[in-house]
């Protein structure tokens, strides 16, 4: 069985982060970054995509692998609400658009975002990060 360019890229991505490139991890990494484009996925959407490739990966493995990728700094988790997480291959700080009704997350132009002041953190705490998710809905034409 020959290794595809996407699988090679995925394997190198994992190795650079110190993760062992197992068969399941490489299959998921190839889908996430195999073409060099950034992705926003949910565990369920990635599971559906990997099933279409014929790879045998359980939904639990997808969840565990996404968590391992986040822990290794390969993905950024974006919480849209308390029960829905998206995983972004672009780990640099940037805002997002969440398309209501489409359940889709896309990058928002970072150069257009201006946050002039943040509230002071409570005593004994520091601000670790600021996540910006701008909710959109389609307008009637």
């Amino acid at each position: 069985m020959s290794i595809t360019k996407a699988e090679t890229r995925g394997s190198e991505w994992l190795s650079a982060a110190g993760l062992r490139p197992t068969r399941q991890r490489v299959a998921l990494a190839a889908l996430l970054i195999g073409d060099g484009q950034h992705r926003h996925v949910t565990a369920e959407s990635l599971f559906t995509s990997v099933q279409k490739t014929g790879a045998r990966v359980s939904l639990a493995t997808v969840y565990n692998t996404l968590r391992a990728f986040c822990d290794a700094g390969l993905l950024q988790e974006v919480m849209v609400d308390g029960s829905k997480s998206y995983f972004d291959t672009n780990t640099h700080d940037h805002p997002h658009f969440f398309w209501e009704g489409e359940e889709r997350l896309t990058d928002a132009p970072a150069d257009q975002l201006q946050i002039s002041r943040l509230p002071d953190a409570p005593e004994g705490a520091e601000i670790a990060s600021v996540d910006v998710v701008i909710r959109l809905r389609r307008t009637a034409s």
Side-chain angles (χ1 to χ4, degrees):
M1 180 173 160
S2 66
I3 306 254
T4 67
K5 190 176 205 175
E7 290 169 329
T8 299
R9 181 178 277 151
S11 183
E12 290 169 354
W13 186 60
L14 296 170
S15 294
L19 291 176
R20 193 165 56 89
T22 65
R23 181 183 56 80
Q24 292 95 343
R25 285 178 178 170
V26 169
L28 296 172
L31 289 170
L32 289 167
I33 59 99
D35 64 0
Q37 301 298 308
H38 286 296
R39 302 260 182 293
H40 299 91
V41 300
T42 62
E44 294 79 9
S45 70
L46 186 58
F47 176 71
T48 299
S49 295
V50 78
Q51 294 300 303
K52 290 177 184 174
T53 69
R56 297 178 55 134
V57 179
S58 71
L59 182 57
T61 297
V62 171
Y63 274 104
N64 292 335
T65 301
L66 287 171
R67 179 64 42 226
F69 288 2
C70 286
D71 291 345
L74 295 173
L75 296 177
Q76 173 185 29
E77 184 175 11
V78 180
M79 295 289 292
V80 173
D81 59 39
S83 63
K84 191 71 161 186
S85 287
Y86 287 79
F87 298 89
D88 188 353
T89 57
N90 180 355
T91 59
H92 300 291
D93 288 335
H94 63 284
H96 291 94
F97 288 133
F98 178 70
W99 297 82
E100 291 183 348
E102 298 175 30
E103 304 300 308
R104 189 167 54 95
L105 193 72
T106 59
D107 290 337
D111 61 339
Q112 295 178 18
L113 178 67
Q114 293 182 4
I115 299 175
S116 60
R117 188 169 189 284
L118 294 174
D120 293 334
E123 188 174 328
E126 66 182 8
I127 296 173
S129 68
V130 175
D131 298 323
V132 177
V133 176
I134 303 159
R135 294 175 178 273
L136 302 174
R137 70 174 63 98
R138 300 272 180 201
T139 57
S141 348

